[in-house]
Amino acid sequence: VLASRLTVLYGPSGVGKSSLLGAGVARRLREQSGAPVVVHDAWAEDPVARLVASVHAECGGIGATAGLVDAVAAGAQRRGELHLLLDNFEEYILYHGVEGPLSTTLPELLRRPGLRVNVLIALRDDALAELDEFAGRIPELFSNLLRLDRLDRESGRAAILGPLRRYSELAGETFTAEDALVEAVLDEASTDAGVEAPYLQLVLERLWERE
């Protein structure tokens, strides 16, 4: 995201794209760049106005602006840049199609001289073909294309043990999980395609509440 003006992240439903953006990418971008990071996923009604509201909420005190491009420019002015993470973008396409209000605004945003904004679009893999209609307006649309796959077993194990280690650091006491429990949870939350993140999350939340 830092190295490219536009990134497209795609993957199957339930693979954890939203969690990755909210819990990982946004935090890391704030740490590394110090710039505002706008995470937006509401597309049903008046998508541009809702997105402008998200920019104002993240940046704070930027005053009145005339549309999305001006709002992003005002938000980027303080720190020199701004990162825009557009999650669940398949819903925008579903409700508004490629001729919707972002069809001209998004290309203008990416091409405005002197405006340093990095955009990430996240959507389900079955909607990726629909995004192809934007390619005529944004030739660089697929130049930085990333696929998020389901967790493999090693990544699933890290998803269980990593948060326990971090929580132990914050709490000042040690929390662990028995190896047999970790393996049993991974067995139950896995299919032939890999570890199903939503199932893993549900099971771990229930175990945490019970214990």
PDB file of all heavy atoms in Angstrom, residues 26-66:
ATOM      1  N   ALA A  26      -4.439  -1.304   8.822  1.00  0.00           N
ATOM      2  CA  ALA A  26      -4.652   0.092   9.238  1.00  0.00           C
ATOM      3  C   ALA A  26      -3.692   0.488  10.357  1.00  0.00           C
ATOM      4  O   ALA A  26      -3.083   1.559  10.321  1.00  0.00           O
ATOM      5  CB  ALA A  26      -6.100   0.284   9.688  1.00  0.00           C
ATOM      6  N   ARG A  27      -3.546  -0.387  11.334  1.00  0.00           N
ATOM      7  CA  ARG A  27      -2.648  -0.076  12.456  1.00  0.00           C
ATOM      8  C   ARG A  27      -1.201   0.056  11.982  1.00  0.00           C
ATOM      9  O   ARG A  27      -0.485   0.979  12.370  1.00  0.00           O
ATOM     10  CB  ARG A  27      -2.753  -1.182  13.510  1.00  0.00           C
ATOM     11  CG  ARG A  27      -1.828  -0.985  14.704  1.00  0.00           C
ATOM     12  CD  ARG A  27      -1.967  -2.109  15.706  1.00  0.00           C
ATOM     13  NE  ARG A  27      -1.670  -3.406  15.117  1.00  0.00           N
ATOM     14  CZ  ARG A  27      -0.436  -3.886  14.986  1.00  0.00           C
ATOM     15  NH1 ARG A  27       0.604  -3.175  15.373  1.00  0.00           N
ATOM     16  NH2 ARG A  27      -0.237  -5.078  14.463  1.00  0.00           N
ATOM     17  N   ARG A  28      -0.775  -0.870  11.125  1.00  0.00           N
ATOM     18  CA  ARG A  28       0.610  -0.826  10.640  1.00  0.00           C
ATOM     19  C   ARG A  28       0.858   0.416   9.788  1.00  0.00           C
ATOM     20  O   ARG A  28       1.946   1.028   9.872  1.00  0.00           O
ATOM     21  CB  ARG A  28       0.887  -2.097   9.828  1.00  0.00           C
ATOM     22  CG  ARG A  28       2.359  -2.305   9.478  1.00  0.00           C
ATOM     23  CD  ARG A  28       3.171  -2.703  10.698  1.00  0.00           C
ATOM     24  NE  ARG A  28       2.703  -3.966  11.236  1.00  0.00           N
ATOM     25  CZ  ARG A  28       3.083  -5.166  10.803  1.00  0.00           C
ATOM     26  NH1 ARG A  28       3.939  -5.264   9.797  1.00  0.00           N
ATOM     27  NH2 ARG A  28       2.641  -6.253  11.384  1.00  0.00           N
ATOM     28  N   LEU A  29      -0.112   0.797   8.972  1.00  0.00           N
ATOM     29  CA  LEU A  29       0.052   2.006   8.158  1.00  0.00           C
ATOM     30  C   LEU A  29       0.185   3.245   9.034  1.00  0.00           C
ATOM     31  O   LEU A  29       1.003   4.130   8.758  1.00  0.00           O
ATOM     32  CB  LEU A  29      -1.128   2.169   7.204  1.00  0.00           C
ATOM     33  CG  LEU A  29      -1.160   1.253   5.978  1.00  0.00           C
ATOM     34  CD1 LEU A  29      -2.472   1.415   5.231  1.00  0.00           C
ATOM     35  CD2 LEU A  29       0.010   1.537   5.054  1.00  0.00           C
ATOM     36  N   ARG A  30      -0.638   3.316  10.093  1.00  0.00           N
ATOM     37  CA  ARG A  30      -0.537   4.474  10.999  1.00  0.00           C
ATOM     38  C   ARG A  30       0.833   4.523  11.663  1.00  0.00           C
ATOM     39  O   ARG A  30       1.426   5.587  11.829  1.00  0.00           O
ATOM     40  CB  ARG A  30      -1.636   4.400  12.047  1.00  0.00           C
ATOM     41  CG  ARG A  30      -3.041   4.662  11.496  1.00  0.00           C
ATOM     42  CD  ARG A  30      -4.083   4.746  12.603  1.00  0.00           C
ATOM     43  NE  ARG A  30      -5.419   5.019  12.061  1.00  0.00           N
ATOM     44  CZ  ARG A  30      -6.361   4.099  11.909  1.00  0.00           C
ATOM     45  NH1 ARG A  30      -6.125   2.852  12.295  1.00  0.00           N
ATOM     46  NH2 ARG A  30      -7.536   4.416  11.388  1.00  0.00           N
ATOM     47  N   GLU A  31       1.342   3.353  12.058  1.00  0.00           N
ATOM     48  CA  GLU A  31       2.638   3.310  12.723  1.00  0.00           C
ATOM     49  C   GLU A  31       3.761   3.708  11.778  1.00  0.00           C
ATOM     50  O   GLU A  31       4.670   4.457  12.147  1.00  0.00           O
ATOM     51  CB  GLU A  31       2.904   1.900  13.260  1.00  0.00           C
ATOM     52  CG  GLU A  31       2.029   1.498  14.444  1.00  0.00           C
ATOM     53  CD  GLU A  31       2.254   0.060  14.848  1.00  0.00           C
ATOM     54  OE1 GLU A  31       2.965  -0.674  14.103  1.00  0.00           O
ATOM     55  OE2 GLU A  31       1.726  -0.367  15.897  1.00  0.00           O
ATOM     56  N   GLN A  32       3.719   3.223  10.548  1.00  0.00           N
ATOM     57  CA  GLN A  32       4.848   3.418   9.638  1.00  0.00           C
ATOM     58  C   GLN A  32       4.830   4.777   8.957  1.00  0.00           C
ATOM     59  O   GLN A  32       5.881   5.328   8.657  1.00  0.00           O
ATOM     60  CB  GLN A  32       4.859   2.308   8.578  1.00  0.00           C
ATOM     61  CG  GLN A  32       5.170   0.937   9.161  1.00  0.00           C
ATOM     62  CD  GLN A  32       5.451  -0.099   8.088  1.00  0.00           C
ATOM     63  OE1 GLN A  32       5.557   0.236   6.903  1.00  0.00           O
ATOM     64  NE2 GLN A  32       5.568  -1.342   8.478  1.00  0.00           N
ATOM     65  N   SER A  33       3.622   5.319   8.676  1.00  0.00           N
ATOM     66  CA  SER A  33       3.562   6.573   7.920  1.00  0.00           C
ATOM     67  C   SER A  33       3.176   7.773   8.778  1.00  0.00           C
ATOM     68  O   SER A  33       3.504   8.903   8.434  1.00  0.00           O
ATOM     69  CB  SER A  33       2.564   6.439   6.771  1.00  0.00           C
ATOM     70  OG  SER A  33       1.236   6.368   7.273  1.00  0.00           O
ATOM     71  N   GLY A  34       2.455   7.527   9.880  1.00  0.00           N
ATOM     72  CA  GLY A  34       1.953   8.624  10.695  1.00  0.00           C
ATOM     73  C   GLY A  34       0.834   9.404  10.024  1.00  0.00           C
ATOM     74  O   GLY A  34       0.395  10.435  10.535  1.00  0.00           O
ATOM     75  N   ALA A  35       0.354   8.915   8.886  1.00  0.00           N
ATOM     76  CA  ALA A  35      -0.681   9.612   8.122  1.00  0.00           C
ATOM     77  C   ALA A  35      -2.059   9.048   8.458  1.00  0.00           C
ATOM     78  O   ALA A  35      -2.180   7.944   8.981  1.00  0.00           O
ATOM     79  CB  ALA A  35      -0.408   9.464   6.620  1.00  0.00           C
ATOM     80  N   PRO A  36      -3.127   9.803   8.179  1.00  0.00           N
ATOM     81  CA  PRO A  36      -4.482   9.299   8.426  1.00  0.00           C
ATOM     82  C   PRO A  36      -4.765   8.046   7.595  1.00  0.00           C
ATOM     83  O   PRO A  36      -4.332   7.946   6.438  1.00  0.00           O
ATOM     84  CB  PRO A  36      -5.378  10.456   7.995  1.00  0.00           C
ATOM     85  CG  PRO A  36      -4.505  11.664   7.968  1.00  0.00           C
ATOM     86  CD  PRO A  36      -3.145  11.182   7.637  1.00  0.00           C
ATOM     87  N   VAL A  37      -5.502   7.108   8.196  1.00  0.00           N
ATOM     88  CA  VAL A  37      -5.915   5.888   7.509  1.00  0.00           C
ATOM     89  C   VAL A  37      -7.432   5.789   7.622  1.00  0.00           C
ATOM     90  O   VAL A  37      -7.967   5.640   8.724  1.00  0.00           O
ATOM     91  CB  VAL A  37      -5.248   4.636   8.112  1.00  0.00           C
ATOM     92  CG1 VAL A  37      -5.731   3.381   7.386  1.00  0.00           C
ATOM     93  CG2 VAL A  37      -3.733   4.750   8.048  1.00  0.00           C
ATOM     94  N   VAL A  38      -8.116   5.888   6.509  1.00  0.00           N
ATOM     95  CA  VAL A  38      -9.577   5.836   6.477  1.00  0.00           C
ATOM     96  C   VAL A  38      -9.996   4.435   6.042  1.00  0.00           C
ATOM     97  O   VAL A  38      -9.665   4.000   4.934  1.00  0.00           O
ATOM     98  CB  VAL A  38     -10.156   6.879   5.507  1.00  0.00           C
ATOM     99  CG1 VAL A  38     -11.680   6.792   5.471  1.00  0.00           C
ATOM    100  CG2 VAL A  38      -9.701   8.283   5.899  1.00  0.00           C
ATOM    101  N   VAL A  39     -10.724   3.726   6.921  1.00  0.00           N
ATOM    102  CA  VAL A  39     -11.263   2.408   6.588  1.00  0.00           C
ATOM    103  C   VAL A  39     -12.771   2.571   6.397  1.00  0.00           C
ATOM    104  O   VAL A  39     -13.478   2.964   7.325  1.00  0.00           O
ATOM    105  CB  VAL A  39     -10.971   1.379   7.701  1.00  0.00           C
ATOM    106  CG1 VAL A  39     -11.483   0.001   7.286  1.00  0.00           C
ATOM    107  CG2 VAL A  39      -9.478   1.327   8.009  1.00  0.00           C
ATOM    108  N   HIS A  40     -13.260   2.260   5.208  1.00  0.00           N
ATOM    109  CA  HIS A  40     -14.666   2.513   4.890  1.00  0.00           C
ATOM    110  C   HIS A  40     -15.292   1.285   4.247  1.00  0.00           C
ATOM    111  O   HIS A  40     -14.690   0.664   3.363  1.00  0.00           O
ATOM    112  CB  HIS A  40     -14.781   3.705   3.940  1.00  0.00           C
ATOM    113  CG  HIS A  40     -16.189   4.090   3.625  1.00  0.00           C
ATOM    114  ND1 HIS A  40     -16.966   4.837   4.488  1.00  0.00           N
ATOM    115  CD2 HIS A  40     -16.987   3.806   2.555  1.00  0.00           C
ATOM    116  CE1 HIS A  40     -18.166   5.009   3.954  1.00  0.00           C
ATOM    117  NE2 HIS A  40     -18.209   4.398   2.791  1.00  0.00           N
ATOM    118  N   ASP A  41     -16.531   0.942   4.685  1.00  0.00           N
ATOM    119  CA  ASP A  41     -17.184  -0.249   4.137  1.00  0.00           C
ATOM    120  C   ASP A  41     -18.702  -0.083   3.967  1.00  0.00           C
ATOM    121  O   ASP A  41     -19.414  -1.078   3.827  1.00  0.00           O
ATOM    122  CB  ASP A  41     -16.902  -1.461   5.022  1.00  0.00           C
ATOM    123  CG  ASP A  41     -17.458  -1.312   6.429  1.00  0.00           C
ATOM    124  OD1 ASP A  41     -18.043  -0.245   6.731  1.00  0.00           O
ATOM    125  OD2 ASP A  41     -17.320  -2.253   7.225  1.00  0.00           O
ATOM    126  N   ALA A  42     -19.204   1.144   3.978  1.00  0.00           N
ATOM    127  CA  ALA A  42     -20.646   1.387   3.857  1.00  0.00           C
ATOM    128  C   ALA A  42     -20.950   1.919   2.458  1.00  0.00           C
ATOM    129  O   ALA A  42     -20.585   3.048   2.127  1.00  0.00           O
ATOM    130  CB  ALA A  42     -21.112   2.383   4.919  1.00  0.00           C
ATOM    131  N   TRP A  43     -21.653   1.114   1.642  1.00  0.00           N
ATOM    132  CA  TRP A  43     -21.815   1.461   0.239  1.00  0.00           C
ATOM    133  C   TRP A  43     -23.263   1.536  -0.230  1.00  0.00           C
ATOM    134  O   TRP A  43     -23.513   1.919  -1.372  1.00  0.00           O
ATOM    135  CB  TRP A  43     -21.080   0.434  -0.623  1.00  0.00           C
ATOM    136  CG  TRP A  43     -19.635   0.340  -0.309  1.00  0.00           C
ATOM    137  CD1 TRP A  43     -18.985  -0.700   0.303  1.00  0.00           C
ATOM    138  CD2 TRP A  43     -18.629   1.330  -0.563  1.00  0.00           C
ATOM    139  NE1 TRP A  43     -17.650  -0.427   0.440  1.00  0.00           N
ATOM    140  CE2 TRP A  43     -17.400   0.812  -0.084  1.00  0.00           C
ATOM    141  CE3 TRP A  43     -18.640   2.592  -1.148  1.00  0.00           C
ATOM    142  CZ2 TRP A  43     -16.208   1.524  -0.182  1.00  0.00           C
ATOM    143  CZ3 TRP A  43     -17.458   3.308  -1.240  1.00  0.00           C
ATOM    144  CH2 TRP A  43     -16.261   2.770  -0.761  1.00  0.00           C
ATOM    145  N   ALA A  44     -24.229   1.176   0.588  1.00  0.00           N
ATOM    146  CA  ALA A  44     -25.607   1.048   0.105  1.00  0.00           C
ATOM    147  C   ALA A  44     -26.208   2.387  -0.316  1.00  0.00           C
ATOM    148  O   ALA A  44     -26.750   2.513  -1.408  1.00  0.00           O
ATOM    149  CB  ALA A  44     -26.476   0.383   1.170  1.00  0.00           C
ATOM    150  N   GLU A  45     -26.110   3.400   0.538  1.00  0.00           N
ATOM    151  CA  GLU A  45     -26.764   4.674   0.272  1.00  0.00           C
ATOM    152  C   GLU A  45     -25.746   5.806   0.188  1.00  0.00           C
ATOM    153  O   GLU A  45     -24.880   5.929   1.061  1.00  0.00           O
ATOM    154  CB  GLU A  45     -27.779   4.993   1.372  1.00  0.00           C
ATOM    155  CG  GLU A  45     -28.914   3.963   1.480  1.00  0.00           C
ATOM    156  CD  GLU A  45     -29.886   4.320   2.583  1.00  0.00           C
ATOM    157  OE1 GLU A  45     -29.699   5.378   3.210  1.00  0.00           O
ATOM    158  OE2 GLU A  45     -30.808   3.530   2.822  1.00  0.00           O
ATOM    159  N   ASP A  46     -25.871   6.615  -0.856  1.00  0.00           N
ATOM    160  CA  ASP A  46     -25.040   7.808  -1.039  1.00  0.00           C
ATOM    161  C   ASP A  46     -23.571   7.520  -0.729  1.00  0.00           C
ATOM    162  O   ASP A  46     -23.001   8.073   0.215  1.00  0.00           O
ATOM    163  CB  ASP A  46     -25.558   8.942  -0.150  1.00  0.00           C
ATOM    164  CG  ASP A  46     -25.194  10.301  -0.700  1.00  0.00           C
ATOM    165  OD1 ASP A  46     -24.346  10.362  -1.603  1.00  0.00           O
ATOM    166  OD2 ASP A  46     -25.739  11.306  -0.214  1.00  0.00           O
ATOM    167  N   PRO A  47     -22.927   6.640  -1.493  1.00  0.00           N
ATOM    168  CA  PRO A  47     -21.594   6.155  -1.141  1.00  0.00           C
ATOM    169  C   PRO A  47     -20.526   7.239  -1.045  1.00  0.00           C
ATOM    170  O   PRO A  47     -19.661   7.172  -0.177  1.00  0.00           O
ATOM    171  CB  PRO A  47     -21.269   5.158  -2.261  1.00  0.00           C
ATOM    172  CG  PRO A  47     -22.146   5.554  -3.394  1.00  0.00           C
ATOM    173  CD  PRO A  47     -23.397   6.074  -2.769  1.00  0.00           C
ATOM    174  N   VAL A  48     -20.602   8.246  -1.918  1.00  0.00           N
ATOM    175  CA  VAL A  48     -19.572   9.289  -1.879  1.00  0.00           C
ATOM    176  C   VAL A  48     -19.713  10.127  -0.609  1.00  0.00           C
ATOM    177  O   VAL A  48     -18.724  10.412   0.083  1.00  0.00           O
ATOM    178  CB  VAL A  48     -19.646  10.176  -3.137  1.00  0.00           C
ATOM    179  CG1 VAL A  48     -18.684  11.360  -3.000  1.00  0.00           C
ATOM    180  CG2 VAL A  48     -19.289   9.362  -4.372  1.00  0.00           C
ATOM    181  N   ALA A  49     -20.934  10.509  -0.277  1.00  0.00           N
ATOM    182  CA  ALA A  49     -21.149  11.308   0.932  1.00  0.00           C
ATOM    183  C   ALA A  49     -20.737  10.540   2.185  1.00  0.00           C
ATOM    184  O   ALA A  49     -20.150  11.103   3.109  1.00  0.00           O
ATOM    185  CB  ALA A  49     -22.622  11.725   1.040  1.00  0.00           C
ATOM    186  N   ARG A  50     -21.041   9.240   2.218  1.00  0.00           N
ATOM    187  CA  ARG A  50     -20.656   8.432   3.370  1.00  0.00           C
ATOM    188  C   ARG A  50     -19.137   8.305   3.462  1.00  0.00           C
ATOM    189  O   ARG A  50     -18.564   8.314   4.556  1.00  0.00           O
ATOM    190  CB  ARG A  50     -21.298   7.040   3.270  1.00  0.00           C
ATOM    191  CG  ARG A  50     -22.817   7.033   3.285  1.00  0.00           C
ATOM    192  CD  ARG A  50     -23.373   7.323   4.672  1.00  0.00           C
ATOM    193  NE  ARG A  50     -23.080   6.264   5.611  1.00  0.00           N
ATOM    194  CZ  ARG A  50     -23.825   5.167   5.762  1.00  0.00           C
ATOM    195  NH1 ARG A  50     -24.910   4.997   5.007  1.00  0.00           N
ATOM    196  NH2 ARG A  50     -23.508   4.271   6.657  1.00  0.00           N
ATOM    197  N   LEU A  51     -18.488   8.186   2.316  1.00  0.00           N
ATOM    198  CA  LEU A  51     -17.029   8.102   2.301  1.00  0.00           C
ATOM    199  C   LEU A  51     -16.403   9.426   2.741  1.00  0.00           C
ATOM    200  O   LEU A  51     -15.422   9.452   3.494  1.00  0.00           O
ATOM    201  CB  LEU A  51     -16.548   7.703   0.907  1.00  0.00           C
ATOM    202  CG  LEU A  51     -15.050   7.500   0.707  1.00  0.00           C
ATOM    203  CD1 LEU A  51     -14.465   6.552   1.742  1.00  0.00           C
ATOM    204  CD2 LEU A  51     -14.771   6.981  -0.709  1.00  0.00           C
ATOM    205  N   VAL A  52     -16.978  10.539   2.273  1.00  0.00           N
ATOM    206  CA  VAL A  52     -16.498  11.857   2.722  1.00  0.00           C
ATOM    207  C   VAL A  52     -16.645  11.982   4.237  1.00  0.00           C
ATOM    208  O   VAL A  52     -15.740  12.489   4.922  1.00  0.00           O
ATOM    209  CB  VAL A  52     -17.276  12.985   2.006  1.00  0.00           C
ATOM    210  CG1 VAL A  52     -16.995  14.339   2.662  1.00  0.00           C
ATOM    211  CG2 VAL A  52     -16.902  13.027   0.528  1.00  0.00           C
ATOM    212  N   ALA A  53     -17.752  11.490   4.781  1.00  0.00           N
ATOM    213  CA  ALA A  53     -17.962  11.535   6.229  1.00  0.00           C
ATOM    214  C   ALA A  53     -16.906  10.711   6.965  1.00  0.00           C
ATOM    215  O   ALA A  53     -16.432  11.111   8.040  1.00  0.00           O
ATOM    216  CB  ALA A  53     -19.364  11.023   6.575  1.00  0.00           C
ATOM    217  N   SER A  54     -16.511   9.582   6.399  1.00  0.00           N
ATOM    218  CA  SER A  54     -15.460   8.760   7.014  1.00  0.00           C
ATOM    219  C   SER A  54     -14.123   9.493   7.006  1.00  0.00           C
ATOM    220  O   SER A  54     -13.342   9.403   7.964  1.00  0.00           O
ATOM    221  CB  SER A  54     -15.337   7.425   6.276  1.00  0.00           C
ATOM    222  OG  SER A  54     -16.467   6.615   6.480  1.00  0.00           O
ATOM    223  N   VAL A  55     -13.843  10.215   5.922  1.00  0.00           N
ATOM    224  CA  VAL A  55     -12.602  11.001   5.856  1.00  0.00           C
ATOM    225  C   VAL A  55     -12.608  12.082   6.927  1.00  0.00           C
ATOM    226  O   VAL A  55     -11.616  12.279   7.646  1.00  0.00           O
ATOM    227  CB  VAL A  55     -12.430  11.623   4.449  1.00  0.00           C
ATOM    228  CG1 VAL A  55     -11.228  12.578   4.442  1.00  0.00           C
ATOM    229  CG2 VAL A  55     -12.253  10.531   3.405  1.00  0.00           C
ATOM    230  N   HIS A  56     -13.720  12.784   7.082  1.00  0.00           N
ATOM    231  CA  HIS A  56     -13.831  13.830   8.107  1.00  0.00           C
ATOM    232  C   HIS A  56     -13.694  13.231   9.507  1.00  0.00           C
ATOM    233  O   HIS A  56     -13.037  13.817  10.376  1.00  0.00           O
ATOM    234  CB  HIS A  56     -15.164  14.558   7.973  1.00  0.00           C
ATOM    235  CG  HIS A  56     -15.174  15.626   6.923  1.00  0.00           C
ATOM    236  ND1 HIS A  56     -14.980  16.960   7.218  1.00  0.00           N
ATOM    237  CD2 HIS A  56     -15.343  15.555   5.578  1.00  0.00           C
ATOM    238  CE1 HIS A  56     -15.033  17.667   6.104  1.00  0.00           C
ATOM    239  NE2 HIS A  56     -15.262  16.835   5.094  1.00  0.00           N
ATOM    240  N   ALA A  57     -14.307  12.060   9.723  1.00  0.00           N
ATOM    241  CA  ALA A  57     -14.241  11.433  11.044  1.00  0.00           C
ATOM    242  C   ALA A  57     -12.817  11.025  11.397  1.00  0.00           C
ATOM    243  O   ALA A  57     -12.390  11.132  12.552  1.00  0.00           O
ATOM    244  CB  ALA A  57     -15.164  10.209  11.085  1.00  0.00           C
ATOM    245  N   GLU A  58     -12.059  10.568  10.417  1.00  0.00           N
ATOM    246  CA  GLU A  58     -10.684  10.131  10.668  1.00  0.00           C
ATOM    247  C   GLU A  58      -9.751  11.322  10.840  1.00  0.00           C
ATOM    248  O   GLU A  58      -8.867  11.317  11.704  1.00  0.00           O
ATOM    249  CB  GLU A  58     -10.192   9.257   9.512  1.00  0.00           C
ATOM    250  CG  GLU A  58      -8.715   8.904   9.564  1.00  0.00           C
ATOM    251  CD  GLU A  58      -8.334   8.000  10.719  1.00  0.00           C
ATOM    252  OE1 GLU A  58      -9.218   7.285  11.241  1.00  0.00           O
ATOM    253  OE2 GLU A  58      -7.152   8.015  11.112  1.00  0.00           O
ATOM    254  N   CYS A  59      -9.932  12.341  10.017  1.00  0.00           N
ATOM    255  CA  CYS A  59      -8.981  13.460  10.009  1.00  0.00           C
ATOM    256  C   CYS A  59      -9.341  14.541  11.026  1.00  0.00           C
ATOM    257  O   CYS A  59      -8.454  15.155  11.606  1.00  0.00           O
ATOM    258  CB  CYS A  59      -8.892  14.059   8.604  1.00  0.00           C
ATOM    259  SG  CYS A  59      -8.327  12.877   7.363  1.00  0.00           S
ATOM    260  N   GLY A  60     -10.618  14.824  11.212  1.00  0.00           N
ATOM    261  CA  GLY A  60     -11.041  15.778  12.232  1.00  0.00           C
ATOM    262  C   GLY A  60     -10.624  17.214  11.948  1.00  0.00           C
ATOM    263  O   GLY A  60      -9.464  17.491  11.662  1.00  0.00           O
ATOM    264  N   GLY A  61     -11.567  18.102  12.009  1.00  0.00           N
ATOM    265  CA  GLY A  61     -11.267  19.528  11.920  1.00  0.00           C
ATOM    266  C   GLY A  61     -10.719  20.009  10.600  1.00  0.00           C
ATOM    267  O   GLY A  61      -9.980  21.000  10.553  1.00  0.00           O
ATOM    268  N   ILE A  62     -11.082  19.355   9.492  1.00  0.00           N
ATOM    269  CA  ILE A  62     -10.562  19.812   8.198  1.00  0.00           C
ATOM    270  C   ILE A  62     -11.492  20.817   7.532  1.00  0.00           C
ATOM    271  O   ILE A  62     -11.188  21.316   6.458  1.00  0.00           O
ATOM    272  CB  ILE A  62     -10.308  18.615   7.249  1.00  0.00           C
ATOM    273  CG1 ILE A  62     -11.590  17.808   7.013  1.00  0.00           C
ATOM    274  CG2 ILE A  62      -9.212  17.734   7.783  1.00  0.00           C
ATOM    275  CD1 ILE A  62     -11.410  16.674   6.012  1.00  0.00           C
ATOM    276  N   GLY A  63     -12.609  21.109   8.184  1.00  0.00           N
ATOM    277  CA  GLY A  63     -13.509  22.128   7.674  1.00  0.00           C
ATOM    278  C   GLY A  63     -14.371  21.629   6.527  1.00  0.00           C
ATOM    279  O   GLY A  63     -14.312  20.468   6.134  1.00  0.00           O
ATOM    280  N   ALA A  64     -15.156  22.530   5.969  1.00  0.00           N
ATOM    281  CA  ALA A  64     -16.054  22.175   4.870  1.00  0.00           C
ATOM    282  C   ALA A  64     -15.250  21.862   3.607  1.00  0.00           C
ATOM    283  O   ALA A  64     -14.246  22.520   3.311  1.00  0.00           O
ATOM    284  CB  ALA A  64     -17.027  23.320   4.602  1.00  0.00           C
ATOM    285  N   THR A  65     -15.692  20.845   2.875  1.00  0.00           N
ATOM    286  CA  THR A  65     -15.011  20.464   1.649  1.00  0.00           C
ATOM    287  C   THR A  65     -16.044  20.250   0.551  1.00  0.00           C
ATOM    288  O   THR A  65     -17.197  19.958   0.811  1.00  0.00           O
ATOM    289  CB  THR A  65     -14.203  19.166   1.834  1.00  0.00           C
ATOM    290  OG1 THR A  65     -15.070  18.135   2.325  1.00  0.00           O
ATOM    291  CG2 THR A  65     -13.062  19.368   2.818  1.00  0.00           C
ATOM    292  N   ALA A  66     -15.592  20.380  -0.690  1.00  0.00           N
ATOM    293  CA  ALA A  66     -16.474  20.223  -1.847  1.00  0.00           C
ATOM    294  C   ALA A  66     -16.218  18.878  -2.511  1.00  0.00           C
ATOM    295  O   ALA A  66     -15.452  18.765  -3.462  1.00  0.00           O
ATOM    296  CB  ALA A  66     -16.242  21.358  -2.837  1.00  0.00           C
TER     297      ALA A  66
END
